[in-house]
Amino acid sequence: MTTNQTTNPSVFLDATAVLDGPLPVEISMEPIIQGAPFAYERVLYDAAGAFFAVWACDAGVYPRVKDKRGSFMYIISGEATITDEGGTSHELTAGSVIVLPHGWVGAWDIRETIRKVYLHTTPVPPYRAGVQPSAFLAAADVLERDLQLPDPAVGTSWAPPVAETVVFDGPDGRCAVQERGPGVFRRAAAKRASYLYVISGEATVTDADGTTHELTAGSAVALPDGWAGTWDIRTPIRTVHVDTAPIADK
């Protein structure tokens, strides 16, 4: 059977570029309490509702208010403390995941240069009222926790079901640490985008037009809304996986 449906291609960055590659774009860190005036980044994907990039910043203290978008982050290296306005703090180290949703208020205290993969999303109304807390998963839970398969009766667009630990699920999107076993899985065009950072494992992602990307530990891939293609997972693959909510019709 043929189809005239247009699909959107994936966008990929290999592990070398993500982990050690140059970050050519200079970003002002204002407002600054103390520390480095600029961060640096490499943009992987930039479209309506989502901005996916690799970012690094030297030591400093930076207040922040999330009044336009939410942020999902995987820490590649470095050390920092994130403190919510209410006083809750999280220690960021290599392998940890932090979500700062739309409505979050707080501050960064970077002690050792942070390098991260991050996704900004534009939340879909209705928004959560008031100041929102961060959501956090420590590195040991991201890298080492045994993940349990969900009830097979729960619906999924994949087969078999995925094992996961959910970090955040809200108007900004859904973030989880996921693991999938070997196999070949076909995905039809989806109405919401997915963004992934590979923690471990090997797989090939093939777009509908035949373009392929080799996923290994440290690589990142954006699967925009409308993407369709095939996963060929050769060894169990663990990812930080963010699904965005559908972009509101204009």
Side-chain angles (χ1 to χ4, degrees):
M1 181 177 68
T2 61
T3 177
N4 293 323
Q5 183 179 23
T6 300
T7 59
N8 293 320
S10 59
V11 182
F12 173 75
L13 199 59
D14 66 36
T16 299
V18 173
L19 300 176
D20 301 306
L23 307 176
V25 181
E26 186 177 79
I27 306 295
S28 172
M29 287 300 289
E30 293 292 344
I32 300 169
I33 294 176
Q34 65 182 49
F38 296 102
Y40 299 88
E41 70 183 9
R42 177 171 177 174
V43 178
L44 173 58
Y45 182 79
D46 185 6
F51 183 90
F52 195 31
V54 183
W55 178 99
C57 185
D58 292 336
V61 180
Y62 309 98
R64 289 293 181 265
V65 175
K66 292 291 179 181
D67 57 357
K68 296 182 178 65
R69 55 198 179 184
S71 297
F72 302 82
M73 311 174 198
Y74 176 84
I75 306 302
I76 296 170
S77 59
E79 295 183 359
T81 302
I82 285 276
T83 303
D84 294 0
E85 184 182 59
T88 300
S89 64
H90 304 293
E91 295 303 312
L92 305 187
T93 58
S96 55
V97 173
I98 186 80
V99 180
L100 307 179
H102 179 267
W104 179 83
V105 178
W108 283 76
D109 182 352
I110 300 175
R111 299 183 299 279
E112 178 184 317
T113 302
I114 285 286
R115 188 178 180 106
K116 67 181 183 181
V117 176
Y118 80 97
L119 173 70
H120 283 325
T121 64
T122 302
V124 175
Y127 306 131
R128 294 177 173 177
V131 175
Q132 298 300 306
S134 57
F136 175 73
L137 196 62
D141 291 323
V142 174
L143 303 175
E144 301 170 12
R145 178 186 288 181
D146 289 333
L147 302 178
Q148 300 296 317
L149 285 173
D151 186 330
V154 176
T156 176
S157 60
W158 295 76
V162 61
E164 66 178 9
T165 298
V166 177
V167 184
F168 178 88
D169 192 359
D172 312 78
R174 184 180 189 275
C175 176
V177 177
Q178 297 187 343
E179 187 159 322
R180 300 180 190 275
V184 178
F185 311 108
R186 173 73 183 173
R187 178 174 166 179
K191 291 185 178 179
R192 63 179 183 175
S194 297
Y195 302 85
L196 299 92
Y197 174 85
V198 180
I199 298 169
S200 60
E202 296 181 354
T204 302
V205 167
T206 303
D207 292 358
D209 68 358
T211 301
T212 64
H213 303 296
E214 295 302 315
L215 303 188
T216 58
S219 57
V221 64
L223 307 177
D225 57 304
W227 180 83
T230 303
W231 284 73
D232 182 354
I233 302 175
R234 298 185 297 279
T235 64
I237 189 165
R238 181 172 291 213
T239 62
V240 178
H241 185 120
V242 180
D243 287 324
T244 62
I247 298 172
D249 293 335
K250 295 183 180 180

